[in-house]
Amino acid sequence: MQLQQFLNHLLSTHYFVNGEEMEYFDLLKLESMERINYVQTERNYENKESLYFNNSYEIENQMCSYVECGNEVGLRRFLEQPFMTHEGITASDSLRQAKNIYIVTITLATRAAIRGGLDTEIAYQLSDLYIQQIEQLLSLESIQNFAKEAIFNFARRVQEAKYNIPEDGSMSKIIQYVFKSVNQPLTATHVAHQFGYSRTYLSAVFKKNVGTSLHQFIVECKLKEAQHLLVFTNKPISEISSYLCFSSQSHFQTVFKKMFLLSPLQYRKHNQGKSSG
């Protein structure tokens, strides 16, 4: 018997025996709920006293944004930054703690990949396989390394799904090169010469395989990097424009607003408020 059906039987039996109606939710008010609330309140008090706060939310948001965009290079650059995380305590030993943390991380990456366009069934299959494998690992280092590779693979799969990259990998290398070089004065001509093609030939092949022009793809990658910088840093807009090699701040603002329907400043104000909860 399914749980819902069993609980409905309990409610009916209680009514006939005791003449008292109960709601479905009343059956779920277990003693453990009050205990959890009690422990959480105590822990919250202790953390505030010691100035220890869980800061994983912002880091999770940044990681997921790179996975959702399919930006493996940006993700790798982000994860290589030195930062200190304060996660919550989810287990009584360090190995179980690490497994729990990275299982949650893979779950978040799975949802981000689906939002980015990865097929739902494929995403959940990958998630199941990664979680099963993590459960078999016996060292903190192996868990951490495996989870990182899992997250990179999700970003890679999103990139392939988003741009319909052919199996020969040539377009994938070009896309990764553009991702890596968003802070350079990239042009379609420069990219073509870098890979030994003429601009005309590469532009035609890129458009056919990826579905957008190489020039437009370069601009989109720069603007998506601008999104990250606007939301997750306090760098001035002029500095972001210069970093991404736009010809001027006004040009950057015009192109950004055309794509996102908000000026860089409006985008920052709107999204920084949401990311900080």
Side-chain angles (χ1 to χ4, degrees), residues 111-131:
R111 273 47 172 190
I114 292 171
R115 291 195 302 271
L118 184 62
D119 179 77
T120 303
E121 186 62 26
I122 291 174
Y124 280 125
Q125 287 174 1
L126 285 172
S127 176
D128 291 345
L129 291 169
Y130 283 135
I131 291 172

Side-chain angles (χ1 to χ4, degrees), residues 80-91:
E80 286 174 352
Q81 294 180 103
F83 50 75
M84 182 70 69
T85 57
H86 296 156
E87 300 108 349
I89 300 171
T90 65

Side-chain angles (χ1 to χ4, degrees), residues 181-186 218-219 221-230 233-257 263-265 268:
S181 308
V182 288
N183 62 327
Q184 302 297 323
L186 281 185
I218 292 170
V219 173
C221 287
K222 286 179 177 286
L223 291 179
K224 286 175 181 177
E225 184 69 14
Q227 285 181 292
H228 295 299
L229 294 170
L230 287 166
T233 76
N234 292 317
K235 295 183 184 298
I237 292 171
S238 59
E239 185 177 336
I240 293 174
S241 171
S242 177
Y243 172 76
L244 296 173
C245 296
F246 283 90
S247 58
S248 67
Q249 183 177 334
S250 61
H251 176 58
F252 166 60
Q253 291 174 320
T254 299
V255 175
F256 189 95
K257 188 168 185 178
S263 71
L265 182 59
R268 167 172 276 171

Side-chain angles (χ1 to χ4, degrees), residues 140-243:
L140 298 178
E141 184 178 5
S142 63
I143 293 170
Q144 184 178 45
N145 291 338
F146 181 79
K148 280 187 177 181
E149 284 307 311
I151 298 165
F152 291 140
N153 191 32
F154 274 117
R156 192 177 307 123
R157 292 296 192 101
V158 169
Q159 179 196 121
E160 292 169 355
K162 190 184 292 290
Y163 300 113
N164 193 26
I165 299 171
E167 292 183 2
D168 63 15
S170 58
M171 291 300 105
S172 178
K173 290 179 181 178
I174 292 171
I175 286 173
Q176 288 293 328
Y177 177 75
V178 174
F179 277 148
K180 186 178 180 179
S181 308
V182 288
N183 62 327
Q184 302 297 323
L186 281 185
T187 64
T189 300
H190 172 86
V191 175
H193 290 170
Q194 184 70 23
F195 286 88
Y197 300 116
S198 71
R199 181 188 185 282
T200 303
Y201 173 79
L202 180 58
S203 295
V205 171
F206 194 90
K207 174 76 172 179
K208 178 181 177 181
N209 286 289
V210 180
T212 188
S213 71
L214 179 55
H215 169 74
Q216 184 59 31
F217 179 74
I218 292 170
V219 173
E220 287 178 3
C221 287
K222 286 179 177 286
L223 291 179
K224 286 175 181 177
E225 184 69 14
Q227 285 181 292
H228 295 299
L229 294 170
L230 287 166
V231 175
F232 299 115
T233 76
N234 292 317
K235 295 183 184 298
I237 292 171
S238 59
E239 185 177 336
I240 293 174
S241 171
S242 177
Y243 172 76

Side-chain angles (χ1 to χ4, degrees), residues 36-104:
I36 288 292
N37 288 337
Y38 175 82
V39 173
Q40 183 273 322
T41 302
E42 284 288 322
R43 184 168 295 173
N44 188 46
Y45 175 84
E46 293 170 1
N47 287 350
K48 285 182 177 179
E49 282 289 291
S50 59
L51 300 179
Y52 182 95
F53 298 102
N54 189 319
N55 68 339
S56 58
Y57 180 68
E58 295 294 339
I59 295 169
E60 290 167 2
N61 273 348
Q62 293 180 65
M63 179 201 74
C64 288
S65 65
Y66 282 113
V67 172
E68 188 172 342
C69 290
N71 188 348
E72 184 186 355
V73 171
L75 178 64
R76 191 175 297 277
R77 188 167 57 236
F78 163 68
L79 290 178
E80 286 174 352
Q81 294 180 103
F83 50 75
M84 182 70 69
T85 57
H86 296 156
E87 300 108 349
I89 300 171
T90 65
S92 57
D93 65 87
S94 58
L95 189 64
R96 185 67 258 171
Q97 166 84 2
K99 289 182 178 182
N100 290 349
I101 291 296
Y102 285 110
I103 285 171
V104 170

